[in-house]
Amino acid sequence: MAGLLPVDEALSRIVGAAVRTDAETVPLSEAGARVLAEDLYAKRQQPPFAASAMDGYAVRAADIANVPVNLKLIGQSAAGHAFQGLLGVGEAVRIFTGAPVPAGADSVVIQENTIAHGSQVEIKETITLGKNIRKAGLDFQEGDLLLKKGRTLDPSALALAAAANYPAVRVYRQPKVAILATGDELVNPGEIFRPDQIIASNTFGLAEIIRQAGGLPIDLGIAEDRLEALSEAVDRSVVVQADILVTLGGASVGDHDLVQPALAAKGMKLDFWKIALRPGKPLMFGRLNDMNILGLPGNPVSSLICGHIFLVPLIRAMLGLEHHPNLRAAVLGRDMDTNDQRQDYVRATLARNADGTLTATPFPLQDSSMLKFLSDAECLIIREPHAPALRAGTMCKVMLLR
């Protein structure tokens, strides 16, 4: 297996070829999970006015230095309906949570410490100056830097942008990832199939991997094992202005593996196509003009695992983000043999022990066509090339899948 590229070198070349996408403005309602393309500064202060933190009565602290005391009730202030007058000596205003504090008031007494008597209210306990009032600008001031460029807009960031009065934000465009399945043996789910055909499944799993990584999947369908069909499909990827073209299957050099020749005829510059990886040795990477080409193996497990290892970092790099796979140390739950010159990603279950440690137990079969074990797997055990045999109970490195 001479000439196999190490996994780390392959990943470095793929990520190194990434060019960050340009920026676009989108409504805040559509900006979830997008990446900010510029710093976000507050357009107003929050809260915009001094507001009550409790239901109760707005008062002057000097008027309730000695309790109990009766104050004249002159009105009320509710959220969205501020009291318009001025609170004077010996007066109180009924106030509700979130309502503006009336001019002249400097404190709020909670209603549990009061007794209302018609046009008067009895204050039973004294409070400190400023009690139960949220000052104007307590959260942030106009002009404050709230969110930095490169921040992924999670729920709290979206809420903060809204509070800062942003109806729309500048974000990096989602990389368009065209997915092309290849092979005469493939049919879509629900279609009529011959006895010698199988259901195409890779596209659906990869599309979700792409979405979760921040990309925009585009399904180009299934191309027959003919140069003309593959050439037409590549043309479609150009028409949709794909940033990445992911091909599934046909990237090797067998008699029916025509993806490389079809792409070469279009002008693809091939970087590599064989890596020291199991599953996923026949992985191809190159560029066609400004489009990255990632040729994944046709076997479903190989395809999806390579998607996690290589496609996700590429998408994130195009969004200006670093990729840090969720790696953990775990106790091995079953003996494992020595490894050859390929880096292994072994499907395994994961259990948390009473002492907080993790136990990773590999499935007994690791055939790259078996999707059920991948669906049941919570992690992949990573075994370096030429790794020695391991006994159950020793430590290993795992990458969490979910």
Side-chain angles (χ1 to χ4, degrees):
M1 292 192 184
L4 295 184
L5 192 67
V7 171
D8 288 346
E9 174 64 19
L11 181 59
S12 177
R13 292 192 193 180
I14 290 172
V15 173
V19 176
R20 190 160 60 185
T21 57
D22 51 2
E24 62 182 358
T25 300
V26 301
L28 191 62
S29 59
E30 299 174 11
R34 302 291 295 273
V35 179
L36 274 178
E38 62 185 12
D39 293 339
L40 225 61
Y41 294 88
K43 293 183 177 180
R44 67 176 300 184
Q45 65 179 3
Q46 177 68 14
F49 46 76
S52 177
M54 305 289 288
D55 288 351
Y57 294 87
V59 300
R60 297 170 66 253
D63 288 340
I64 59 170
N66 298 301
V67 293
V69 63
N70 288 315
L71 302 178
K72 181 182 179 182
L73 190 57
I74 61 171
Q76 74 172 23
S77 182
H81 301 280
F83 177 76
Q84 299 300 324
L86 175 66
L87 187 142
V89 176
E91 294 178 337
V93 168
R94 181 76 167 105
I95 196 167
F96 299 92
T97 304
V101 175
D106 56 27
S107 308
V108 171
V109 180
I110 62 174
Q111 64 184 33
E112 291 85 347
N113 295 334
T114 66
I115 299 176
H117 301 290
S119 62
Q120 290 193 326
V121 59
E122 180 182 353
I123 310 299
K124 298 187 296 180
E125 292 188 16
T126 189
I127 56 173
T128 56
L129 180 67
K131 186 71 172 178
N132 299 319
I133 291 179
R134 298 182 180 125
K135 294 181 180 179
L138 175 66
D139 193 357
F140 52 81
Q141 299 283 340
E142 183 176 350
D144 283 354
L145 174 61
L146 300 182
L147 297 168
K148 291 185 178 181
K149 176 181 177 180
R151 169 70 181 266
T152 299
L153 290 168
D154 56 24
S156 60
L158 287 169
L160 181 57
N165 200 28
Y166 280 86
V169 288
R170 294 282 287 172
V171 295
Y172 290 114
R173 180 178 57 78
Q174 293 174 284
K176 295 179 181 178
V177 186
I179 308 171
L180 174 63
T182 69
D184 293 340
E185 76 279 14
L186 298 178
V187 295
N188 285 311
E191 292 182 349
I192 297 174
F193 54 87
R194 302 189 309 264
D196 60 351
Q197 290 184 304
I198 60 174
I199 306 299
S201 58
N202 303 17
T203 297
F204 300 93
L206 280 168
E208 186 57 27
I209 288 175
I210 291 164
R211 275 189 286 267
Q212 291 184 11
L216 184 65
I218 301 171
D219 185 3
L220 296 182
I222 301 171
E224 300 172 347
D225 287 324
R226 295 183 299 108
L227 281 173
E228 297 83 358
L230 290 166
S231 179
E232 290 173 1
V234 174
D235 288 341
R236 293 199 301 273
S237 72
V238 175
V239 169
V240 299
Q241 298 181 313
D243 300 290
I244 305 170
L245 170 61
V246 176
T247 61
L248 305 177
S252 192
V253 291
D255 291 343
H256 299 282
D257 295 320
L258 303 176
V259 171
Q260 278 200 52
L263 287 165
K266 294 291 184 182
M268 179 190 72
K269 295 181 179 179
L270 179 66
D271 190 325
F272 61 84
W273 74 272
K274 292 190 295 183
I275 57 175
L277 172 69
R278 184 186 294 107
K281 182 184 73 167
L283 184 138
M284 176 185 68
F285 180 68
R287 285 184 66 84
L288 177 59
N289 299 322
D290 294 330
M291 181 168 59
N292 292 296
I293 308 290
L294 189 61
L296 301 184
N299 280 328
V301 173
S302 302
S303 176
L304 295 178
I305 288 178
C306 287
H308 285 294
I309 298 171
F310 300 106
L311 181 55
V312 170
L314 175 57
I315 292 170
R316 290 182 61 82
M318 295 182 73
L319 291 169
L321 301 173
E322 294 183 359
H323 177 61
H324 301 286
N326 198 347
L327 302 178
R328 303 290 177 88
V331 177
L332 188 62
R334 177 182 287 133
D335 293 351
M336 298 188 76
D337 293 333
T338 57
N339 196 20
D340 60 15
Q341 62 266 51
R342 288 198 276 173
Q343 185 159 306
D344 268 6
Y345 288 81
V346 180
R347 286 159 282 169
T349 60
L350 199 63
R352 184 172 293 278
N353 306 312
D355 62 357
T357 60
L358 300 172
T359 294
T361 304
F363 288 102
L365 297 176
Q366 294 290 325
D367 189 281
S368 59
S369 68
M370 300 177 67
L371 271 173
K372 186 178 184 305
F373 281 157
L374 181 59
S375 176
D376 291 341
E378 286 116 352
C379 69
L380 299 172
I381 299 173
I382 303 175
R383 303 207 66 206
E384 302 294 334
H386 307 291
L390 293 177
R391 299 292 300 272
T394 57
M395 299 303 294
C396 63
K397 181 170 66 174
V398 302
M399 182 176 79
L400 300 192
L401 293 174
R402 53 185 170 84

PDB file of all heavy atoms in Angstrom, residues 77 208 263 307:
ATOM      1  N   SER A  77     -47.852  52.170  37.044  1.00  0.00           N
ATOM      2  CA  SER A  77     -46.965  52.040  35.899  1.00  0.00           C
ATOM      3  C   SER A  77     -46.865  50.561  35.540  1.00  0.00           C
ATOM      4  O   SER A  77     -46.490  49.742  36.380  1.00  0.00           O
ATOM      5  CB  SER A  77     -45.571  52.589  36.219  1.00  0.00           C
ATOM      6  OG  SER A  77     -44.715  52.512  35.100  1.00  0.00           O
ATOM      7  N   GLU A 208     -27.264  15.773   5.991  1.00  0.00           N
ATOM      8  CA  GLU A 208     -27.450  16.225   7.371  1.00  0.00           C
ATOM      9  C   GLU A 208     -26.116  16.602   8.007  1.00  0.00           C
ATOM     10  O   GLU A 208     -26.041  17.563   8.789  1.00  0.00           O
ATOM     11  CB  GLU A 208     -28.148  15.142   8.196  1.00  0.00           C
ATOM     12  CG  GLU A 208     -28.519  15.569   9.607  1.00  0.00           C
ATOM     13  CD  GLU A 208     -29.404  16.812   9.646  1.00  0.00           C
ATOM     14  OE1 GLU A 208     -30.139  17.069   8.665  1.00  0.00           O
ATOM     15  OE2 GLU A 208     -29.345  17.536  10.665  1.00  0.00           O
ATOM     16  N   LEU A 263     -13.896  14.092 -14.235  1.00  0.00           N
ATOM     17  CA  LEU A 263     -13.468  15.360 -13.649  1.00  0.00           C
ATOM     18  C   LEU A 263     -12.188  15.864 -14.306  1.00  0.00           C
ATOM     19  O   LEU A 263     -12.018  17.069 -14.520  1.00  0.00           O
ATOM     20  CB  LEU A 263     -13.268  15.196 -12.145  1.00  0.00           C
ATOM     21  CG  LEU A 263     -14.565  15.072 -11.337  1.00  0.00           C
ATOM     22  CD1 LEU A 263     -14.276  14.547  -9.934  1.00  0.00           C
ATOM     23  CD2 LEU A 263     -15.256  16.424 -11.247  1.00  0.00           C
ATOM     24  N   GLY A 307     -17.018  11.835   5.803  1.00  0.00           N
ATOM     25  CA  GLY A 307     -17.704  13.119   5.903  1.00  0.00           C
ATOM     26  C   GLY A 307     -17.425  13.810   7.227  1.00  0.00           C
ATOM     27  O   GLY A 307     -17.153  15.019   7.278  1.00  0.00           O
TER      28      GLY A 307
END
